[in-house]
Amino acid sequence: MEIVIRAGEEGFFLTLLNNATTLSQLLQIQAQLILHGIHYDLSSITKLTHKFFDLGAVAHVRQLFNKVSKPDLFLFNVLIRGFSDNGLPKSSIFLYTHLRKKTNLRPDNFTYAFAISAASRLEDERVGVLLHAHSIVDGVASNLFVGSAIVDLYFKFTRAELARKVFDVMPERDTVLWNTMISGFSRNSYFEDSIRVFVDMLDVGLSFDSTTLATVLTAVAELQEYRLGMGIQCLASKKGLHSDVYVLTGLISLYSKCGKSCKGRILFDQIDQPDLISYNAMISGYTFNHETESAVTLFRELLASGQRVNSSTLVGLIPVYLPFNHLQLSRLIQNLSLKIGIILQPSVSTALTTVYCRLNEVQFARQLFDESPEKSLASWNAMISGYTQNGLTDRAISLFQEMMPQLSPNPVTVTSILSACAQLGALSIGKWVHGLIKSERLESNVYVSTALVDMYAKCGSIVEARQLFDLMVDKNVVTWNAMITGYGLHGHGKEALKLFYEMLQSGIPPTGVTFLSILYACSHSGLVSEGNEIFHSMANNYGFQPMSEHYACMVDILGRAGQLTNALEFIERMPLEPGPAVWGALLGACMIHKNTEMANVASKRLFQLDPENVGYYVLLSNIYSTDRNFPKAASVRQVVKKRKLAKTPGCTLIEIDDQQYVFTSGDRSHPQATAIFEMLEKLTGKMREAGYQAETVTTALHDVEDEEKELMVNVHSEKLAIAFGLISTKPGTEIRIIKNLRVCLDCHTATKFISKITERVIVVRDANRFHHFKNGICSCGDYW
């Protein structure tokens, strides 16, 4: 580029700077500024600095600034913003500090807005909080530009409650600030709040723009609020924004997530020249609706159009929502990602990790996770969640503990790890996570609070679960379901019913899970008429067609109450084909009420429907043993042997001083085995004196003497765990154990005696429910 100077022409260099598009051109202009002795002119330096930043030439900016003797506030502002925009927020904060301490200049609203924006890109929120305090002292915190930056800062650090407080005290609010609130809530998964703010914006009569609609549509899509989305589409039409590509893209995502991908495609076809974002939305929409072939076809069209795909394209194509039978496609996408060089992008590797975990290909997932040099929080979340979903709860907890020194958890992280704690019954770790949630100020998140309620309930602390539930300001249907389920697990059927009706009165509509939870609670509390009434209200009052699980609950309700004939008639009237869960419920009831004839009917169907499930054979054998029909019991066991079916071995977990111990029947591997068996022998003697007799009738081995059977049941895993708990804890300490199978009749009876003899509360979680033993009485009332 050849430059010819015409002396006296004002603004000549500024015009050249404005028109420059390459670094080479800028360097030539800089040389001419020096040649003509005007390189100290602040306006020229500021413009040159701005252009260097636009081209990412940060090194040239530093050289230029070092030669400026007296920079003005405008130049400082350009520098603070430029460094931040070029991924150097620490340099921005350094300049802000230099401005305050080394110059006589006073930061203005632009300084604070740019500095706070830079602080939002740091890992530590404390710098941003300090800048907020400075802006208050300097009297500019209420400025719209600064206020929007502060709100955005708090949202980026998941401090939604602080963002809301700042917003609420703002004396003036413009469209940008409202948009920041709507977007911030949506990004932090506070989708209901995002929509609420949008409605408030309409109520105050403030004008919205395409950004407003596109942002709120994201929240509406996540909640799958189809009618609300249609209303927003009408608003867009009235305002003349319906053809805006961002609004159309938001509507495509909305309709796709509401199961209306065909309607999304109609909108997609209205775009004259769809950009990559629009393509990505439609591809993702197809994938979300399990229309994998359509997604792949559109992806090929995108490639044929010559547009270059990005990480969002491939993330949208990865069959995260229904990965089954798509392992090969997922592997092909992984290979393509590797080929085009975006496999290491966190969003791509995270989506693939999620798919592999859902396909139970945990090794693939972990390999991909380990190979990712840059692990985002979402990546950690995907792997932790994957372990939890696949029942590998100990690995989930271990990985969470590995993550903690590197990253702060978000709501997704803690809900996943709380789920792992709930599955494992790891109350001490759950309490530690609860403390972490408090320190990270995540309690206000409804999903986190709901996960806490669920964790405490499933770890045996139903009182703590209810206390947390009552403290929650916002409760969604999942929250109510978690508490109702918790009451059901603990046999508190009446409390579950009361809560169920409170939920209905609060205006929250029940879901299929709600009805399943309350029917389960009725089943384990003998609430037959109440359960029957609720079951029929599903279709009559709420328009829900009961599924197989609901029918199984009703069979369980009738069967447990001894109404076996009614239960069988109920099954015969079912509009659905009865599955294993239904017949299994009837067989379980036959065991409780020792009805061999009906057990034969139920087991015959079960052996046809689920011939590999050894549990049904064991149950039928025990029913025969209870009826003292030992030849029949033996014949059932012979079938098991011939089919080479393996019974799940029973084991019991107990947690002492934050460490977990697992016992199996007759286990002598524990270092304190001698003391444990001595305690068990001592207990057995005291129990016999109190009237205990071992339940030996239903033991699987009929061909041994009763005395030998008694010795066998005396060393069941739950008894060993309780004995260990007694020698390892102070008198009066509550003992909690978890059994992987249903607790046997003898252990249930024995635990009642032990609780009375030792004056201990013993909490047992088995495969079905909780039992709270105190003073020789179980909370289940022997109705289990």
Side-chain angles (χ1 to χ4, degrees), residues 207-214 232-248 251:
S207 178
F208 55 84
D209 55 20
S210 59
T211 303
T212 318
L213 297 184
I232 292 173
Q233 186 173 6
C234 291
L235 276 176
S237 296
K238 288 180 181 178
K239 274 280 188 178
L241 299 171
H242 184 265
S243 59
D244 182 274
V245 68
Y246 296 109
V247 175
L248 279 172
L251 287 168

Side-chain angles (χ1 to χ4, degrees), residues 426-438:
L427 181 61
S428 61
I429 299 173
K431 285 184 174 180
W432 173 70
V433 175
H434 189 181
L436 189 65
I437 288 166
K438 288 178 179 177

Side-chain angles (χ1 to χ4, degrees), residues 307-445:
Q307 294 196 57
R308 187 173 181 179
V309 302
N310 61 11
S311 57
S312 297
T313 319
L314 293 185
V315 169
L317 188 63
I318 295 168
V320 173
Y321 306 102
L322 193 71
F324 311 106
N325 300 320
H326 291 308
L327 177 59
Q328 185 179 2
L329 174 62
S330 301
R331 296 291 283 176
L332 286 171
I333 295 171
Q334 182 178 349
N335 291 336
L336 177 60
S337 304
L338 186 63
K339 185 177 180 181
I340 62 178
I342 60 174
I343 186 64
L344 299 181
Q345 295 232 4
S347 60
V348 177
S349 60
T350 299
L352 286 167
T353 299
T354 303
V355 164
Y356 291 141
C357 285
R358 289 182 180 174
L359 288 169
N360 202 20
E361 299 287 348
V362 182
Q363 286 184 324
F364 277 160
R366 185 58 195 254
Q367 182 182 351
L368 193 61
F369 176 80
D370 289 339
E371 289 173 354
S372 300
E374 182 187 345
K375 296 179 180 68
S376 66
L377 182 56
S379 305
W380 288 90
N381 288 347
M383 199 63 240
I384 291 168
S385 176
Y387 277 140
T388 303
Q389 290 162 9
N390 284 279
L392 302 170
T393 49
D394 53 340
R395 294 189 193 177
I397 292 168
S398 175
L399 191 63
F400 174 70
Q401 291 169 332
E402 184 184 330
M403 183 200 87
M404 280 306 299
Q406 304 175 53
L407 288 170
S408 294
N410 68 0
V412 176
T413 325
V414 293
T415 51
S416 294
I417 207 65
L418 285 170
S419 176
C421 292
Q423 287 182 43
L424 197 59
L427 181 61
S428 61
I429 299 173
K431 285 184 174 180
W432 173 70
V433 175
H434 189 181
L436 189 65
I437 288 166
K438 288 178 179 177
S439 66
E440 294 290 331
R441 300 174 189 172
L442 297 173
E443 283 181 300
S444 61
N445 184 292

Side-chain angles (χ1 to χ4, degrees), residues 7 13 46 100 116 133 152 177 199 206 232 271 326 357 399 432 530 542 553 613 636 647 715:
F13 283 110
T46 302
R100 286 182 63 93
I116 290 168
D152 189 57
L177 180 56
V199 172
L206 196 69
I232 292 173
I271 305 173
H326 291 308
C357 285
L399 191 63
W432 173 70
E530 294 88 343
Y542 298 97
C553 268
N613 191 324
V636 172
K647 180 180 180 292
V715 293

Side-chain angles (χ1 to χ4, degrees), residues 710-726:
E710 184 174 345
L711 288 173
M712 293 177 67
V713 297
N714 278 348
V715 293
H716 276 185
S717 62
E718 44 264 70
K719 289 178 183 171
L720 295 175
I722 291 170
F724 176 59
L726 289 170

Side-chain angles (χ1 to χ4, degrees), residues 503-520:
M503 173 185 165
L504 298 182
Q505 289 172 2
S506 71
I508 293 182
T511 63
V513 175
T514 313
F515 285 110
L516 199 60
S517 300
I518 192 61
L519 288 172
Y520 179 91

